[in-house]
Amino acid sequence: MDRPAPPPYRRIVDEIRRRIDAAELAPGDRVPSTRRITQEWGVAMATATKVLTTLRQEGLVRAVPGVGTVVAEPPRAPRGEPPRGRRPRETDGGLNRERVVRAGIKVADAEGLRALSMRRVAAEFGVSSMALYRHVANKDELVLLMADAAFADVVLPDPAPDDWRGRMEAGARLQWRLYQRHPWLAQYLSVSRPQPMPHGMALIEWTMARVEGLDPLTLIHMAVTLLNHVRATAAGFEDDLEAEQETGMDQHQWMAAMEPAYESIIASGGYPMYTGIDGTEPNAVTLETLFDFGLTHLLNGMGLLIERRAAQAA
């Protein structure tokens, strides 16, 4: 008689265990979250929660406050007994934190943030992922350091614009070009859970340095609104690269493939705005035009705010 198939949660537990045993997930790496499990395996949230609970009960993972659920360190062998399956301690080939961070940026730029792992970065140096843990605590710390290092590379214009609008526009365009160089960066940044990055914060301070007559809370709202426009629009860079990798079609090929479906929808007559742009240039609406349009009108609106506050103060 055939053995009954294991329940869905058990199959997922076994797959994550396999990834850990194969070193695809190393100690300190985050394991799939409950949300990721529901998306990857198509199960309910209750099943995903049971997966992580089982993994914790079996000692494979542990919860780290502020980080999430990560692969647990393997148990230490009794004193005098060599650890099973552990390789002899290797040299790290002269690695240091900066070299590891730069290698991480190189991988993320070429392959996307989803492809980044401690194991993948270690492969750049021909060492095991454990060699990296002497320089960074885990993947989360590595990505944070990568992001701040990317902001540190921004070259500020000299001389800098001395008026508030020129300075804010320059700061926004510096960020825009930064996200073009590092498409993964915009998606990594969070407005609701901002990451502590000194060089990123310094760029925002510089961007807002010529706005006068406003209280700090209003300045922060202006700064984050501007940042979020640039970041949210630039997130499309990584989206487009990932979609091209998955479909094999670039953005123009994809739009051409979707054209019959759009034409069918528009032909119903209920979409006059879309009908009105039919026949325009293919590049009439791009990430670049959306960025420019949004930036211009955001600054126009902020100008009205600055003028009104100045009039009230007078």
Side-chain angles (χ1 to χ4, degrees):
M1 180 179 296
D2 294 336
R3 297 178 60 185
Y9 88 91
R10 189 71 247 180
R11 294 199 300 271
I12 301 170
V13 168
D14 291 343
E15 168 57 19
I16 294 176
R17 177 191 288 275
R18 183 199 65 77
R19 296 178 187 180
I20 294 172
D21 290 343
E24 295 174 16
L25 291 170
D29 284 352
R30 288 185 63 180
V31 299
S33 64
T34 52
R35 182 179 178 185
R36 180 67 181 274
I37 291 170
T38 62
Q39 295 171 341
E40 185 172 345
W41 281 279
V43 296
M45 183 61 72
T47 300
T49 301
K50 189 172 184 178
V51 168
L52 294 186
T53 299
T54 303
L55 288 169
R56 282 195 292 269
Q57 291 172 343
E58 295 181 2
L60 294 172
V61 303
R62 62 188 179 93
V64 178
V67 175
T69 303
V70 303
V71 178
E73 294 285 346
R76 295 184 178 182
R79 182 175 297 180
E81 179 183 332
R84 291 179 297 172
R86 182 173 295 177
R87 299 176 181 177
R89 182 177 177 87
E90 63 181 345
T91 61
D92 61 12
L95 290 184
N96 56 42
R97 175 174 285 203
E98 182 178 359
R99 291 187 67 198
V100 172
V101 169
R102 291 297 169 185
I105 292 174
K106 177 183 175 183
V107 172
D109 286 351
E111 303 172 25
L113 202 56
R114 290 185 184 179
L116 185 79
S117 66
M118 300 294 277
R119 185 182 185 188
R120 175 65 186 85
V121 175
E124 292 290 302
F125 302 102
V127 299
S128 73
S129 58
M130 292 306 295
L132 303 188
Y133 290 103
R134 300 169 202 163
H135 308 285
V136 293
N138 49 42
K139 178 182 173 182
D140 292 302
E141 183 186 37
L142 172 60
V143 180
L144 178 62
L145 293 170
M146 288 163 49
D148 200 42
F151 275 99
D153 290 339
V154 172
V155 178
L156 299 175
D158 185 16
D162 201 39
D163 62 296
W164 74 264
R165 183 171 183 130
R167 182 67 70 92
M168 288 184 68
E169 180 172 354
R173 293 194 181 280
L174 287 170
Q175 292 177 56
W176 182 252
R177 290 192 290 272
L178 177 65
Y179 300 144
Q180 288 177 311
R181 294 193 298 272
H182 307 292
W184 54 272
L185 181 56
Q187 284 198 351
Y188 170 71
L189 298 178
S190 173
V191 170
S192 60
R193 300 187 180 190
Q195 300 93 332
M197 294 185 295
H199 292 101
M201 294 167 68
L203 177 57
I204 304 306
E205 286 278 359
W206 181 89
T207 300
M208 304 302 296
R210 291 295 177 265
V211 182
E212 298 176 351
L214 299 180
D215 62 278
L217 189 58
T218 300
L219 287 175
I220 285 290
H221 277 84
M222 291 173 64
V224 174
T225 298
L226 182 65
L227 166 69
N228 199 43
H229 165 64
V230 185
R231 180 199 65 85
T233 308
F237 293 135
E238 181 82 337
D239 288 339
D240 195 44
L241 289 174
E242 290 181 350
E244 185 170 343
Q245 291 173 353
E246 292 174 2
T247 65
M249 295 187 290
D250 63 25
Q251 195 255 354
H252 297 295
Q253 292 170 326
W254 187 87
M255 288 298 294
M258 295 297 106
E259 188 173 354
Y262 276 114
E263 289 179 346
S264 176
I265 295 171
I266 294 172
S268 68
Y271 304 89
M273 179 181 68
Y274 290 93
T275 302
I277 65 170
D278 190 31
T280 58
E281 291 294 325
N283 292 329
V285 180
T286 64
L287 292 178
E288 196 76 38
T289 66
L290 291 171
F291 166 68
D292 286 334
F293 181 91
L295 178 60
T296 296
H297 294 287
L298 267 178
L299 295 178
N300 287 345
M302 291 180 181
L304 295 175
L305 172 63
I306 292 171
E307 291 174 4
R308 185 168 68 248
R309 292 290 179 89
Q312 291 171 349

